[in-house]
Amino acid sequence: MTLHRTPQESPHDCDKNLETTGKGIGQWEALRFSFYSAGDLHVPSLTPRAQVPFARYLAMNKITSMKRYHVAKVYRRDNPATTRGRYREFYQCDFDIAGQFDPMIPDAECLKIVHEILSDLQLGDFVIKVNDRRILNGVFAVCGVPESKFIPACSIVDKLDKMPWEEVRSEMVGERGVSPEAADRIGEYVQLHGGLDLIERLLQDPKLSQNKLAKEGLGDMKLLFEYLTLFGITGKISFDLSLARGLDYYTGVIFEAVLLQQDNEHREEPVGVGSVAGGGRYDGLVGMFDPKGRKVPCVGVSIGIERIFSILEQRLEAEMLYKKDPKLLKQLQYCEDTGIPLAAIVGEQELADGVVKLRDVATRQEVDIPREKLIDEIRRRLEP
């Protein structure tokens, strides 16, 4: 199988996605970023997610097997917190695997990719949460939630990373019509997280073990963890029943990578970026675009490039003195006047030698540091 880079879509393709299916694909329609003229004339929408255009691309070209990556702008309709690296317009990197494979191998590969990226970027400690929509639906069923309320209940559970259970329960009962008794039973499950031991325990659960969907999901989750063990990455993976991933086109495994603690000892406030990647399995999406309803199993992950950049930028604060004729002595004097502890100097000789001259502003001592070791050396010197 060849890894492909799929072509970018034009902004109005979001509307084509909706026209092709004849429906809004649940929250897809709520998420799309539309514009209206003064006369209420609809202007083409902007793409909020990459999986739906990819599914249409597969269906239109009758492709049944593909690995692809894609970097492009996408859009968010809500009012995001820019201080947390969230924007209305942002770049996103997507990696997707489409086609028939042995169970859970593509899913494990997606998680391995996320693990490699976050480890290599050295963004700090992180965890990749995993769950399965079949397990969640099974939990709702055995807790007495009507099937018509599965999706609303799922969207509320998805808030558990931002709200305590008491508030989630209150909203579930007061706004989504779930009975208090059912909500209490749901709470016993969705606050659980762990690894293979938790999966084994839930497989023996008297209620979940009798639910077909939950049993299938737990069986696949066990297999997934066995592959992740072979990859040697289970130390960063958490089976978390509170993970819901609000989009309702997910059909199986779902996952989300979250930064736990930023390396910001020298900043008064931490960089609150949180989730930096997410995705899951969407086996039914291609069939919604195919005239004959032919399905192509798919799983993919989206990585927030801007969110990662916001962390990298704030991990190391730097400043440059902007002048028409920036004399070096003036810049060094500026460092002394403003209390900047270190100055990085790069001239023609440093470029030729592959080094950066690092100057201690207080002592005025200078030392040449190989470029690849500069960040580590700065961190070492700034440690309290």
Side-chain angles (χ1 to χ4, degrees), residues 28-161:
W28 169 262
E29 189 166 15
L31 286 168
R32 65 185 181 135
F33 201 141
S34 299
F35 296 95
Y36 294 86
S37 67
D40 225 19
L41 177 66
H42 180 255
V43 180
S45 306
L46 302 178
T47 305
R49 288 291 186 275
Q51 287 89 356
V52 177
F54 176 58
R56 183 168 67 87
Y57 174 82
L58 294 176
M60 288 176 60
N61 293 278
K62 297 181 173 59
I63 297 171
T64 58
S65 183
M66 174 186 275
K67 279 186 180 181
R68 71 100 188 214
Y69 74 93
H70 184 234
V71 179
K73 281 184 181 179
V74 289
Y75 301 84
R76 179 183 287 114
R77 198 178 83 166
D78 62 2
N79 295 310
T82 57
T83 56
R84 300 185 61 206
R86 293 175 65 88
Y87 308 98
R88 284 185 171 180
E89 175 185 83
F90 57 100
Y91 277 96
Q92 183 170 286
C93 176
D94 294 277
F95 178 83
D96 296 87
I97 302 175
Q100 294 283 353
F101 299 92
D102 288 346
M104 307 316 296
I105 290 180
D107 311 67
E109 186 174 351
C110 285
L111 292 171
K112 182 69 164 65
I113 289 170
V114 175
H115 185 277
E116 285 186 4
I117 290 172
L118 296 184
S119 297
D120 290 348
L121 288 175
Q122 299 180 2
L123 299 174
D125 197 11
F126 66 91
V127 64
I128 304 175
K129 300 178 182 181
V130 297
N131 198 4
D132 193 299
R133 291 296 282 266
R134 293 168 297 176
I135 298 174
L136 266 180
N137 288 343
V139 166
F140 295 147
V142 301
C143 290
V145 178
E147 189 173 350
S148 61
K149 296 185 184 297
F150 280 8
I151 292 175
C154 188
S155 65
I156 296 299
V157 169
D158 200 40
K159 297 182 179 181
L160 267 174
D161 62 335

Side-chain angles (χ1 to χ4, degrees), residues 130-131 135 193-194 198-199 202 218 221 225 238-241:
V130 297
N131 198 4
I135 298 174
H193 56 87
L198 176 58
I199 298 170
L202 292 177
L218 287 166
M221 188 64 66
F225 265 78
S238 173
F239 173 39
D240 192 326
L241 272 80

Side-chain angles (χ1 to χ4, degrees), residues 217-249:
L218 287 166
D220 280 348
M221 188 64 66
K222 180 180 178 181
L223 180 59
L224 175 64
F225 265 78
E226 290 172 355
Y227 285 128
L228 298 178
T229 300
L230 294 175
F231 282 148
I233 64 173
T234 51
K236 295 292 186 182
I237 308 293
S238 173
F239 173 39
D240 192 326
L241 272 80
S242 70
L243 180 64
R245 300 291 296 169
L247 291 171
D248 55 15
Y249 57 66

